[in-house]
Amino acid sequence: MASLVLGIESSCDETGVALVKSAGQAVPQLLAHALHTQMAMHADYGGVVPELASRDHIRRVLPLTEDVLQQAEQALENVDVVAYTRGPGLAGALLVGAGVACALAAALGKPVLGVHHLEGHLLSPFLSADPPEFPFIALLVSGGHTQLMRVDGVGRYSLLGETIDDAAGEAFDKSAKLLGLGYPGGPALARLAEFGDPTAYKLPRPLLHSGDLDFSFAGLKTAVLTQAKKFEGAPCDQMRADLAASTQAAIVEVLIKKSIKALEQTGLKRLVVAGGVGANAALREQLNEACAKRGVRVHYPELHLCTDNGAMIALAAAMRIDAGVETPQANYAFDVKPRWPLDFSLLA
Ligand code: KG4
Ligand code: ZN
């Protein structure tokens, strides 16, 4: 039977709400989604201010919900399940989404489901025009996480490798800051890199030959800092663009080599790239080329669903329910999990 799942995302600096329709075995269909990004609000501080983030989620979440219901031409009463991001993320920000989701569900007498934010990212390519099939390797590259997972089905995730320090998105953001670019740095650094020479500066590729599937990006940031200091005085635009391009090249090379290694080790021929850094054009271009050479299919979320959004949360909830991995409960005593590993803990 078809059911409507409302999803609420509030783990960091984006308030996202979406409505999906699930109909059993087929991939759930996205009916409507709405997003408010707090980027401009945090830009003055050079990063996310958790207290401001929570307050803004409170302001946005209900108007966005109304917007989504209106777009989908659905009444609130028609919602069958309310899903929310339970973690990981900023505790206060998560509590807003969880609180609102549970209050709405309680008022409607409908069940709720807390979703893992990374599971949302991981499954988000199922909403694309070219959805993947299980099993696949997932490269999860967000602002807080860099992980390679083996995905055998909904809820069947095993961690193959992860960053031992900074995440790839963090490496983009911190390097961007050192180059005097605004927040969030990833897209800004990528734009500047278009005008630079990726071979201009020799930057480290940490753990490239470590033999395992772990990552490390903290050393890269230090190398960028050392180089940026040499610019002191007046770096010309070309020098900054060259350093941006060299930084991006270092991050992209490590992500690609390790993804290929994970595919080789497991013998899988399918890769899913998800999370904010998955929007990076250089990564997509080079990864497509590397995978095409090896007969590997690569799947991405739609560009606008790469970064945080409510659609992936509603989708993950619907897929978990449809796969029989989880049954939503009409239990409105909620908690959030600011730190929450995504591996066997989500097994059916
Ligand atoms: O998945 P996401 O929206 O949030 C987290 O769950 O963390 O990822 C945000 C991260 C930020 O570090 C941002 O700089 C990075 O993704 N990002 C990019 C690009 N777009 C977003 N990094 C590189 N190139 C991009 N085009
Ligand atoms: Zn995210």
Side-chain angles (χ1 to χ4, degrees):
M1 201 189 66
S3 64
L4 290 185
V5 180
L6 182 75
I8 299 177
E9 153 65 30
S10 71
S11 66
C12 190
D13 57 349
E14 255 110 23
T15 323
V17 181
L19 195 64
V20 303
K21 183 172 164 185
S22 89
Q25 292 315 304
V27 176
Q29 184 196 350
L30 179 62
L31 299 183
H33 81 113
L35 187 77
H36 175 78
T37 176
Q38 305 175 353
M39 245 175 238
M41 187 180 83
H42 297 295
D44 291 347
Y45 303 91
V48 178
V49 183
E51 177 67 19
L52 294 182
S54 310
R55 292 183 194 193
D56 202 59
H57 287 307
I58 293 172
R59 273 194 291 272
R60 308 288 175 182
V61 66
L62 286 177
L64 288 172
T65 304
E66 280 169 0
D67 179 5
V68 160
L69 291 168
Q70 212 166 42
Q71 281 181 50
E73 298 180 356
Q74 292 286 345
L76 185 59
E77 297 71 42
N78 295 342
V79 169
D80 296 296
V81 178
V82 185
Y84 62 93
T85 306
R86 190 176 176 204
L90 302 169
L94 289 166
L95 281 168
V96 176
V100 169
C102 290
L104 279 177
L108 294 167
K110 300 287 171 67
V112 279
L113 190 63
V115 171
H116 196 294
H117 180 84
L118 292 181
E119 185 175 29
H121 277 304
L122 190 109
L123 297 175
S124 61
F126 281 95
L127 287 175
S128 74
D130 178 29
E133 277 169 29
F134 299 114
F136 54 78
I137 295 294
L139 172 68
L140 277 178
V141 272
S142 69
H145 294 83
T146 299
Q147 301 185 329
L148 277 163
M149 320 266 318
R150 180 190 168 110
V151 179
D152 286 294
V154 178
R156 298 171 61 198
Y157 315 124
S158 31
L159 185 65
L160 303 175
E162 64 183 332
T163 183
I164 58 168
D165 43 52
D166 290 352
E170 230 173 328
F172 268 104
D173 293 340
K174 288 179 177 172
S175 304
K177 209 169 191 175
L178 294 171
L179 282 163
L181 300 169
Y183 163 86
L189 190 141
R191 275 194 300 275
L192 184 57
E194 280 177 40
F195 304 98
D197 172 5
T199 62
Y201 297 99
K202 248 192 146 63
L203 298 173
R205 268 78 169 148
L207 298 190
L208 188 60
H209 302 294
S210 61
D212 58 21
L213 296 171
D214 286 338
F215 302 87
S216 163
F217 291 107
L220 176 62
K221 172 192 62 196
T222 312
V224 173
L225 174 64
T226 309
Q227 193 53 57
K229 271 190 179 154
K230 291 187 190 156
F231 290 165
E232 254 168 53
C236 71
D237 288 349
Q238 194 56 51
M239 286 157 91
R240 289 173 69 240
D242 285 347
L243 186 53
S246 302
T247 306
Q248 177 173 266
I251 299 170
V252 165
E253 184 182 344
V254 178
L255 293 177
I256 293 178
K257 290 255 166 76
K258 295 271 175 166
S259 300
I260 298 292
K261 199 171 174 80
L263 288 156
E264 284 171 357
Q265 275 184 10
T266 54
L268 295 181
K269 289 286 181 195
R270 213 177 269 280
L271 179 69
V272 155
V273 183
V277 180
N280 186 271
L283 174 67
R284 287 188 175 215
E285 197 181 302
Q286 293 172 40
L287 199 54
N288 288 345
E289 201 182 305
C291 287
K293 264 193 222 156
R294 294 166 175 85
V296 169
R297 294 274 319 267
V298 198
H299 301 262
Y300 303 92
E302 301 289 334
L303 258 186
H304 69 286
L305 298 181
C306 263
T307 44
D308 294 349
N309 62 83
M312 67 185 198
I313 300 305
L315 171 80
M319 288 182 77
R320 288 181 74 74
I321 297 166
D322 289 346
V325 171
E326 198 162 358
T327 309
Q329 305 289 334
N331 173 3
Y332 310 115
F334 61 90
D335 65 353
V336 295
K337 289 175 169 274
R339 291 171 162 273
W340 190 11
L342 175 72
D343 50 19
F344 298 104
S345 60
L346 289 180
L347 258 168

